[in-house]
Amino acid sequence: MFANSAEPGDLVEVVLVKGGRTKIRYPARLLHDDGVRISVRAPWAGEGVRDFGFVRFEPGDVFTEHYWRDRWYSVKEVRAGDGALKGWYCDVTRPATRSGGELVVEDLDLDLWCSADGTDVRRLDEDEFADSGLAERDPGAASAAVAALDELEELAREGALGTPAA
């Protein structure tokens, strides 16, 4: 357990920032914090149903989310209310920061989806990433983001997203 963290089971507020603004914030139950990886569990925090065509996020879904202080992504295991695994939704982000009860993550637009059976691995929002201007504003961050998406895709194709160390 990380010395400056809350105890497992405590609530933390996950804050997703995009383009300098808070996109969403929601409470989550702390599962693990070892100073590098932070894991939390939370119900679907969106409004109603979000249908991507290849997966639906809906009330009752439960997300077990893994964030790292030294990696440029997060991995979110998505389960239906009945416990059935839907798959993994991965966000490319700057490394997570945690201060007290807040876990802050900056979304860099790139995402990856991997279905529960691993047959559907898809890169998402590459057009949004290109349009974001990050490559011009912060070439180092843009390069790290693209490398993170490549790493996530490799982990997904190897079937390794479901391991906590992924």
Side-chain angles (χ1 to χ4, degrees):
M1 181 63 164
F2 187 56
N4 293 326
S5 68
E7 293 297 316
D10 285 352
L11 287 179
V12 296
E13 187 97 15
V14 177
V15 182
L16 184 63
V17 176
K18 187 171 181 178
R21 295 188 331 252
T22 299
K23 181 177 176 183
I24 190 170
R25 66 172 46 237
Y26 54 92
R29 181 97 27 219
L30 180 67
L31 302 176
H32 174 86
D33 185 350
D34 63 10
V36 177
R37 180 175 54 92
I38 306 160
S39 298
V40 301
R41 183 169 293 133
W44 164 241
E47 298 277 329
V49 174
R50 177 126 188 236
D51 190 342
F52 291 94
F54 51 87
V55 67
R56 287 170 50 103
F57 296 159
E58 52 203 336
D61 286 353
V62 176
F63 287 64
T64 301
E65 306 174 357
H66 305 281
Y67 299 91
W68 287 265
R69 291 178 173 96
D70 64 350
R71 297 186 192 181
W72 287 69
Y73 58 79
S74 63
V75 176
K76 299 170 182 173
E77 177 190 272
V78 184
R79 291 188 177 270
D82 66 3
L85 179 64
K86 290 185 174 186
W88 295 269
Y89 194 91
C90 306
D91 287 316
V92 173
T93 66
R94 291 185 188 271
T97 60
R98 181 147 172 264
S99 177
E102 274 194 347
L103 171 61
V104 179
V105 185
E106 183 182 346
D107 187 342
L108 298 177
D109 292 312
L110 295 171
D111 301 302
L112 183 115
W113 168 254
C114 178
S115 61
D117 64 5
T119 60
D120 183 7
V121 176
R122 53 178 80 206
R123 296 163 76 107
L124 305 169
D125 302 327
E126 290 178 297
D127 55 339
E128 286 181 34
F129 177 74
D131 293 344
S132 75
L134 185 64
E136 294 76 31
R137 280 191 326 278
D138 190 343
S143 178
V146 171
L149 184 61
D150 292 342
E151 182 179 344
L152 285 166
E153 183 175 11
E154 184 176 330
L155 288 168
R157 297 201 184 281
E158 293 171 355
L161 285 177
T163 61

